[in-house]
Amino acid sequence: MSYEVKLDAFSGPLDLLLHLIHRLEIDIYDIPMAELTAQYIDHIHAMKVLELNEASEYLVMAATLLAIKSRMLLPIHEGEMEEAEFEVEMEDPREELVNKLIEYKKYKEAAIELKELESDRSLVFTRPPSDLSSMVPDTQLALFDASVNVFDMIGALQKILRRKNLRKPLSTRVARQEISVKDQMFAVVDSLKVNGGKTAFSKLFPYEDKTTIIVTFLSILELMKRQVVSVEQQNNFEELYVILDKEAPEDELRTIDE
Amino acid sequence: MNSELLMSKIEALLFVMGDEGITAKQLTQLLDAELMEVEAALSELKTNYEQSNIRGITLKNLAGTYQLTTKPTMAETIKKLVENPTSNVLSAASLEVLAIIAYKQPITRVEIEDLRGVKSDRPIQTLVSRGLIQEVGRAEGTGRAILYGTTKEFLNYFGLQTIEELPPLPEEALKDDEQETDLFMTKFQEAFSSDEN
Amino acid sequence: MNSELLMSKIEALLFVMGDEGITAKQLTQLLDAELMEVEAALSELKTNYEQSNIRGITLKNLAGTYQLTTKPTMAETIKKLVENPTSNVLSAASLEVLAIIAYKQPITRVEIEDLRGVKSDRPIQTLVSRGLIQEVGRAEGTGRAILYGTTKEFLNYFGLQTIEELPPLPEEALKDDEQETDLFMTKFQEAFSSDEN
């Protein structure tokens, strides 16, 4: 059988075993070792990009499975065993593995519940505390609780990051939605017309924010490509001039898909 | 203090404290009110937020402190402000490690790795740097391994008031499992004894 | 959109924007609504805040930017918050500044304020006077802004031998978001200089 298996689809050999047990509809309390071992080994063959330190853990598990399988195949001859040995043999060779799988499964399921909580919580937003520092004497500002430790600093950083996430985009993203290259092509054409069909390149950028500057630049490139405008420069290091080559390019521009 | 005034003062304080939050006890001190009054006002405020359609905010108890938050139904609108809202979710491996720590704390790295059957130093490091777990002590014995536990940020991150609010581990299922194992072992032994006879 | 829903969405957006506020035009874009609708909703919200006795907050319009603030009548209550040593709102600001300096040193005040999104000169001053941070040099370029770093007292305070003992942060955390734009601007400028040659 050949199918792609991604390493990061499983968080370890126990996870892979649980996946196989589920997929093969195996009774976890009565694992057919030969089948499971074969499937497991197939899978780790298919996992091409095993990282070295994790590969060893998957291989150790493969060895464990093979050992259990072979112990189960050992014939038990009547009367060959001493009483004491019999006690040892009484243990199902699979028992330790089964216990491990069951214990691991508990936490894997708990992790799924955490995932749900994480996703519920991500729907709820809060705000930074108001800055009240102007209302107090300096001495009170850094009055740390005696129990403050380095982990509290990490907690403080997490808060900053959450807020930053909310803060940064409004200026960039809303601005980005505000103007499109197409809109800006019209704006460039308009300002060329106002200036008699020719203007200094730098005059076309009366903008403060980077996004608008970038969009304006892209719109000039697009206009050049469409031969609506051309750019000329008399000598090195002199000002670039943008010249409107078409008298009424608006109709053509209106047909552009954004 | 009349209850409307108390509610308005609580709203103002909650607003100012933002994601820092404030406890009911702190509110009693600041407002010179009884705990019962404060709790009644908090609960009435919450009802008011929840029942009013023009309110986009509500009251939540996170990690033991009261905070104003936006209502979950506002998420779509607010996410328009956020570049990539899902980029920061925890990986499956990190969540597994975190689940183990949350339910078995304090716990060492070796115990975690034993449970998962795989090295876990990287997820642990991620969780420490995300402020979700921290060192809470050292194990006895040689090596004095670091013991990990969850933080207040953990509660905040998962929207919990206290650690007790975590859903219970599937212990019930486990008990059944154990019974089944016992049953299995009995049958197994029977098979053997009959072999013997 | 019905006007109650619009009001609740506006309240939620105003709330998360904090002291930055938001303009009516930005609201129309985020909510996909007409300016007139938005302005009507804003005015209705304001009336609602002003007329309800249980509200401690209200809506303020400053130079075209709308923001939520506490009502002027709440000033006394908020002053108590500042005077009360058990409220952690003040040390929280200092702790944030300290955390940024610890992980990003050497760093200027402007960079700190950029990360936090609020003025930070006072917390910086206090941390200097507490001996937890110090001037460690000057930034290049005009202005030669002061660069801050942590002190030996800082290590002492947090029980660290060296600054490397701080738990590591995830790599993407606190990274400069403007890198991409800057990269573009660099290329943009390069393209021009080569054009000119």
Side-chain angles (χ1 to χ4, degrees):
Chain A
M1 124 189 34
S2 74
Y3 45 88
E4 287 275 314
V5 185
K6 281 194 205 135
L7 171 64
D8 57 9
F10 302 105
S11 61
L14 290 174
D15 194 20
L16 172 53
L17 280 177
L18 278 184
H19 166 78
L20 293 174
I21 286 167
H22 180 75
R23 200 173 55 90
L24 301 171
E25 294 175 11
I26 286 173
D27 176 1
I28 195 167
Y29 300 105
D30 189 12
I31 297 172
M33 287 311 296
E35 188 182 3
L36 185 65
T37 307
Q39 288 276 339
Y40 180 87
I41 290 172
D42 270 357
H43 263 74
I44 58 173
H45 276 307
M47 288 153 82
K48 289 169 199 155
V49 271
L50 275 186
E51 284 177 52
L52 207 62
N53 62 342
E54 285 197 11
S56 64
E57 285 154 344
Y58 282 91
L59 293 176
V60 167
M61 179 57 76
T64 307
L65 294 175
L66 286 167
I68 295 172
K69 188 175 108 181
S70 58
R71 269 201 283 157
M72 292 187 66
L73 292 173
L74 280 180
I76 297 160
H77 298 294
E78 274 178 51
E80 270 190 11
M81 280 178 288
E82 300 286 324
E83 288 277 306
E85 275 176 1
F86 182 66
E87 287 295 318
V88 178
E89 284 298 320
M90 278 296 291
E91 292 221 349
D92 187 323
R94 298 172 294 185
E95 192 186 350
E96 196 189 330
L97 179 68
V98 169
N99 287 342
K100 271 199 147 179
L101 281 169
I102 289 169
E103 183 73 359
Y104 170 73
K105 193 162 174 255
K106 272 200 315 195
Y107 293 100
K108 192 177 157 58
E109 281 163 9
I112 292 168
E113 302 226 30
L114 285 183
K115 178 108 211 139
E116 281 171 22
L117 290 175
E118 179 188 48
S119 119
D120 289 348
R121 174 64 177 86
S122 75
L123 299 177
V124 158
F125 299 84
T126 176
R127 72 186 287 280
S130 303
D131 183 13
L132 303 177
S133 58
S134 60
M135 296 169 68
V136 267
D138 284 343
T139 45
Q140 219 183 308
L141 271 173
L143 219 57
F144 293 130
D145 193 313
S147 62
V148 164
N149 62 31
V150 288
F151 298 101
D152 293 319
M153 274 201 291
I154 292 191
L157 283 174
Q158 290 307 325
K159 279 201 181 127
I160 297 169
L161 290 175
R162 258 200 294 270
R163 283 177 219 153
K164 198 163 154 353
N165 221 5
L166 275 174
R167 237 181 35 238
K168 77 181 172 202
L170 194 67
S171 47
T172 54
R173 190 173 153 165
V174 171
R176 209 172 294 151
Q177 289 172 338
E178 223 168 297
I179 51 161
S180 66
V181 171
K182 185 176 169 183
D183 289 343
Q184 208 55 15
M185 285 164 75
F186 281 104
V188 168
V189 168
D190 282 348
S191 92
L192 283 169
K193 281 188 167 172
V194 168
N195 290 293
K198 177 175 176 177
T199 187
F201 182 82
S202 57
K203 292 259 165 63
L204 291 170
F205 296 87
Y207 308 107
E208 289 280 324
D209 78 294
K210 284 177 184 174
T211 316
T212 316
I213 294 173
I214 289 165
V215 171
T216 308
F217 178 62
L218 293 175
S219 72
I220 294 172
L221 290 182
E222 190 62 35
L223 288 168
M224 285 169 71
K225 199 174 103 193
R226 290 171 185 273
Q227 299 176 340
V228 175
V229 304
S230 57
V231 176
E232 67 170 40
Q233 187 182 33
Q234 293 294 334
N235 290 297
N236 275 356
F237 310 115
E238 277 185 12
E239 179 72 87
L240 284 164
Y241 282 91
V242 181
I243 297 149
L244 186 63
D245 293 332
K246 286 188 183 163
E247 296 237 319
E250 281 86 352
D251 289 342
E252 182 190 332
L253 295 185
R254 232 165 257 131
T255 63
I256 299 171
D257 290 332
E258 289 194 25
Chain B
M1 194 176 332
N2 82 57
S3 76
E4 288 199 335
L5 185 59
L6 188 61
M7 281 163 76
S8 66
K9 286 186 175 180
I10 290 177
E11 182 177 68
L13 286 170
L14 286 168
F15 179 81
V16 166
M17 292 301 288
D19 56 13
E20 206 58 48
I22 192 162
T23 63
K25 201 173 153 223
Q26 284 173 324
L27 286 171
T28 62
Q29 289 169 352
L30 291 165
L31 299 168
D32 201 15
E34 296 298 318
L35 189 60
M36 266 180 58
E37 285 179 278
V38 167
E39 279 174 348
L42 281 166
S43 133
E44 210 174 325
L45 257 182
K46 190 181 168 76
T47 311
N48 182 282
Y49 290 131
E50 295 292 336
Q51 290 183 347
S52 168
N53 289 334
I54 66 167
R55 294 268 83 85
I57 58 173
T58 186
L59 180 64
K60 219 172 152 58
N61 186 332
L62 283 172
T65 65
Y66 289 92
Q67 295 183 18
L68 294 180
T69 69
T70 55
K71 288 182 179 170
T73 48
M74 298 290 128
E76 279 309 305
T77 304
I78 293 163
K79 278 184 177 162
K80 288 187 188 160
L81 289 172
V82 186
E83 200 105 321
N84 192 352
T86 53
S87 65
N88 270 334
V89 299
L90 294 167
S91 69
S94 294
L95 281 168
E96 249 176 60
V97 171
L98 194 53
I100 293 171
I101 294 174
Y103 287 97
K104 306 227 359 154
Q105 59 189 318
I107 187 171
T108 65
R109 179 177 55 78
V110 174
E111 290 170 307
I112 296 165
E113 291 178 345
D114 203 46
L115 254 167
R116 296 185 64 222
V118 72
K119 279 223 182 308
S120 304
D121 38 357
R122 261 203 276 172
I124 288 175
Q125 199 197 308
T126 308
L127 294 169
V128 168
S129 64
R130 297 276 304 255
L132 296 167
I133 61 168
Q134 65 177 13
E135 191 180 323
V136 293
R138 296 276 176 160
E140 298 197 4
T142 48
R144 309 209 2 98
I146 297 173
L147 289 165
Y148 293 99
T150 53
T151 60
K152 231 177 119 173
E153 168 68 12
F154 167 85
L155 297 176
N156 190 357
Y157 187 81
F158 290 102
L160 303 168
Q161 299 188 38
T162 65
I163 194 79
E164 281 77 33
E165 239 194 302
L166 274 180
L169 265 192
E171 286 293 342
E172 285 308 305
L174 188 73
K175 273 183 196 134
D176 290 347
D177 287 346
E178 271 167 9
Q179 271 170 10
E180 271 183 63
T181 325
D182 286 346
L183 190 66
F184 170 87
M185 288 311 285
T186 316
K187 285 201 177 156
F188 186 80
Q189 280 160 3
E190 274 169 13
F192 263 101
S193 11
S194 61
D195 242 23
E196 285 276 281
N197 298 335
Chain C
M1 191 172 343
N2 83 58
S3 74
E4 290 200 332
L5 184 60
L6 190 60
M7 282 163 77
S8 67
K9 285 183 175 182
I10 290 176
E11 181 177 68
L13 287 170
L14 286 168
F15 177 77
V16 295
M17 286 311 291
D19 297 338
E20 298 235 329
I22 192 164
T23 64
K25 189 162 172 233
Q26 285 171 324
L27 285 171
T28 61
Q29 287 162 351
L30 289 165
L31 297 167
D32 202 14
E34 297 299 320
L35 190 60
M36 265 181 58
E37 286 178 277
V38 168
E39 279 173 346
L42 281 165
S43 132
E44 209 174 324
L45 257 183
K46 189 179 168 76
T47 311
N48 183 284
Y49 290 130
E50 294 294 337
Q51 290 182 349
S52 167
N53 290 333
I54 67 167
R55 295 269 82 86
I57 58 174
T58 187
L59 181 65
K60 207 165 73 178
N61 180 353
L62 265 182
T65 300
Y66 291 88
Q67 66 186 67
L68 294 179
T69 69
T70 52
K71 287 183 178 168
T73 50
M74 296 292 133
E76 276 306 304
T77 304
I78 289 159
K79 217 170 142 212
K80 281 207 182 127
L81 184 65
V82 173
E83 287 158 1
N84 189 316
T86 64
S87 64
N88 40 357
V89 68
L90 300 167
S91 56
S94 300
L95 190 62
E96 278 184 20
V97 171
L98 190 57
I100 292 172
I101 295 174
Y103 280 96
K104 298 266 294 182
Q105 56 187 312
I107 186 169
T108 65
R109 181 179 53 78
V110 174
E111 290 170 309
I112 295 166
E113 292 179 343
D114 203 47
L115 274 166
R116 289 188 66 218
V118 291
K119 280 232 173 297
S120 305
D121 41 346
R122 307 239 325 161
I124 291 173
Q125 256 175 46
T126 0
L127 289 168
V128 169
S129 68
R130 288 263 334 240
L132 293 169
I133 62 167
Q134 64 185 1
E135 187 179 329
V136 293
R138 295 277 175 158
E140 296 192 9
T142 49
R144 307 201 15 89
I146 297 173
L147 289 165
Y148 293 98
T150 52
T151 61
K152 250 174 105 170
E153 171 62 19
F154 168 86
L155 296 178
N156 197 8
Y157 191 90
F158 288 101
L160 304 168
Q161 301 284 334
T162 67
I163 197 75
E164 281 76 35
E165 270 185 69
L166 276 179
L169 276 190
E171 273 166 33
E172 75 277 13
L174 298 175
K175 196 182 61 187
D176 194 355
D177 297 306
E178 299 208 346
Q179 261 174 6
E180 259 181 72
T181 343
D182 284 345
L183 188 68
F184 187 93
M185 289 308 282
T186 315
K187 290 209 170 143
F188 180 88
Q189 276 155 6
E190 273 170 14
F192 269 93
S193 12
S194 62
D195 241 26
E196 292 183 11
N197 294 334

